[in-house]
Amino acid sequence: GDVGTDVDMASFPDRSVQVFGAFGTGGEITIQGSNDGGTTWATLTDPQGNALTFTAAKIEAITEMVGKIRPIQSAGSGASISVFMFFGGNRL
């Protein structure tokens, strides 16, 4: 699976992610976070506590405040998927 570039936007309290494109055969994108500089990663969740794992186009809020966030293709082949993240609100 492809791993997207991680971003460090921890100073923004509001975060969302949009995933869209051709998911191919079993295509799946997972949004992960890290608080140790990117050594260890864990799956992030939406406000309802669901894992941020996408198998179809969707926009979701990101619950956790973490130092780094990245997308990773966790399954599938033949995918051409775009991931856009938005960070906003009053900077902390």
Side-chain angles (χ1 to χ4, degrees):
D2 292 333
V3 177
T5 302
D6 60 73
V7 293
D8 180 357
M9 300 299 271
S11 62
F12 291 98
D14 299 322
R15 297 155 313 281
S16 66
V17 59
Q18 179 178 12
V19 178
F20 62 92
F23 282 76
T25 305
E28 183 176 277
I29 296 291
T30 298
I31 306 302
Q32 298 180 326
S34 174
N35 280 329
D36 63 3
T39 300
T40 309
W41 295 89
T43 300
L44 301 179
T45 62
D46 68 15
Q48 293 76 40
N50 301 309
L52 286 175
T53 301
F54 299 82
T55 57
K58 194 173 187 180
I59 297 175
E60 285 285 354
I62 300 171
T63 303
E64 293 83 10
M65 288 289 291
V66 293
K68 291 184 176 286
I69 298 176
R70 73 176 184 188
I72 184 169
Q73 183 179 350
S74 45
S77 62
S80 177
I81 303 169
S82 295
V83 178
F84 288 86
M85 291 186 231
F86 174 82
F87 302 90
N90 293 327
R91 292 184 84 151
L92 302 174

